[in-house]
Amino acid sequence: GNSVTQMEGPVTLSEEAFLTINCTYTATGYPSLFWYVQYPGEGLQLLLKATKADDKGSNKGFEATYRKETTSFHLEKGSVQVSDSAVYFCALGYYGGSQGNLIFGKGTKLSVKP
Amino acid sequence: EAGVAQSPRYKIIEKRQSVAFWCNPISGHATLYWYQQILGQGPKLLIQFQNNGVVDDSQLPKDRFSAERLKGVDSTLKIQPAKLEDSAVYLCASSLDAGGWSGANVLTFGAGSRLTVL
């Protein structure tokens, strides 16, 4: 079946450090890939997405590239800020017919210290 | 644009009691989803509606969970009777349309309803 695997957290970084959160997936066909972020006390928010192989999604300094050959969609940011502290979820989804829902990884908690 | 509204934000009940959660999606969004997020895990789909019809309820524990979306707008998720393992955040999400290939068709989530079963 379809699934998403994320690196275990929590991840603790100092401000301005480089961030990588690994995400790999198992899927049939051609899913879209997403990163969602959940700030404390808030709902999930879409951070970025990619809909086909080699697409790069980017937003707020974060980026991720859809790698079909390695079935990966790793999240990166060159310089994290304290305000980036949140839980990050990798997800895959199909947009066709009745398969509009998302399959999520377990989430990776990021804490950024000043 | 108003977001996805959910209520109540928090609910504490004892096992075997019942509880209901309400969701109002973004205006015009045809598809509505209920997800269950247990602490330390990613959200898991419980049920998906397209307008007022059920598209996918394969992971809904139908012996205790029920959901409806009357008139294709608001939705209610009910648990009766609740078990300890139902303690979770219940997330409602909506999207413009689940059909067709569209990279722009993304889900917008509400803030969630946190349930604690004692």
Side-chain angles (χ1 to χ4, degrees):
Chain A
N2 301 324
S3 64
V4 173
T5 303
Q6 288 181 237
M7 64 185 285
E8 295 278 336
V11 174
T12 303
L13 296 173
S14 297
E15 207 164 22
E16 299 183 4
F18 184 86
L19 169 71
T20 299
I21 300 178
N22 291 336
C23 171
T24 58
Y25 67 91
T26 302
T28 55
Y30 304 97
S32 293
L33 300 174
F34 303 83
W35 278 100
Y36 276 80
V37 59
Q38 190 171 37
Y39 297 103
E42 298 183 16
L44 287 160
Q45 301 174 26
L46 177 65
L47 180 60
L48 54 84
K49 62 178 171 62
T51 57
K52 61 183 186 298
D54 299 325
D55 267 4
K56 177 185 284 188
S58 61
N59 186 26
K60 299 181 181 179
F62 291 89
E63 57 182 36
T65 301
Y66 188 160
R67 301 286 189 200
K68 195 167 177 64
E69 64 274 16
T70 55
T71 62
S72 65
F73 193 55
H74 304 320
L75 183 69
E76 296 182 335
K77 186 174 185 181
S79 176
V80 294
Q81 305 301 311
V82 172
S83 57
D84 294 327
S85 298
V87 181
Y88 292 81
F89 292 90
C90 186
L92 70 84
Y94 294 89
Y95 292 100
S98 63
Q99 293 178 300
N101 75 78
L102 295 174
I103 296 167
F104 287 88
K106 291 187 176 182
T108 303
K109 183 175 182 178
L110 171 66
S111 295
V112 181
K113 300 193 180 306
Chain B
E1 171 179 84
V4 176
Q6 290 189 246
S7 67
R9 287 296 309 273
Y10 305 93
K11 189 74 176 179
I12 300 174
I13 62 173
E14 297 194 349
K15 60 183 178 183
R16 290 188 290 274
Q17 287 187 323
S18 62
V19 63
F21 302 111
W22 172 82
C23 172
N24 181 239
I26 290 174
S27 178
H29 277 196
T31 309
L32 184 147
Y33 312 79
W34 283 102
Y35 282 82
Q36 180 192 57
Q37 185 179 12
I38 293 173
L39 186 64
Q41 298 183 22
K44 182 187 80 173
L45 180 72
L46 292 176
I47 189 167
Q48 176 184 343
F49 292 94
Q50 178 82 3
N51 297 309
N52 60 348
V54 175
V55 172
D56 183 354
D57 63 356
S58 58
Q59 298 190 87
L60 187 74
K62 298 181 185 63
D63 57 336
R64 299 181 299 105
F65 285 66
S66 64
E68 61 182 7
R69 190 183 184 196
L70 299 176
K71 301 181 181 177
V73 182
D74 294 5
S75 177
T76 303
L77 176 70
K78 295 179 181 177
I79 308 174
Q80 181 179 15
K83 292 186 174 181
L84 296 177
E85 60 261 34
D86 298 332
S87 294
V89 176
Y90 291 86
L91 298 168
C92 181
S94 68
S95 65
L96 196 58
D97 186 2
W101 176 258
S102 170
N105 187 30
V106 296
L107 274 63
T108 302
F109 285 83
S113 294
R114 181 179 296 276
L115 173 66
T116 302
V117 182
L118 302 176

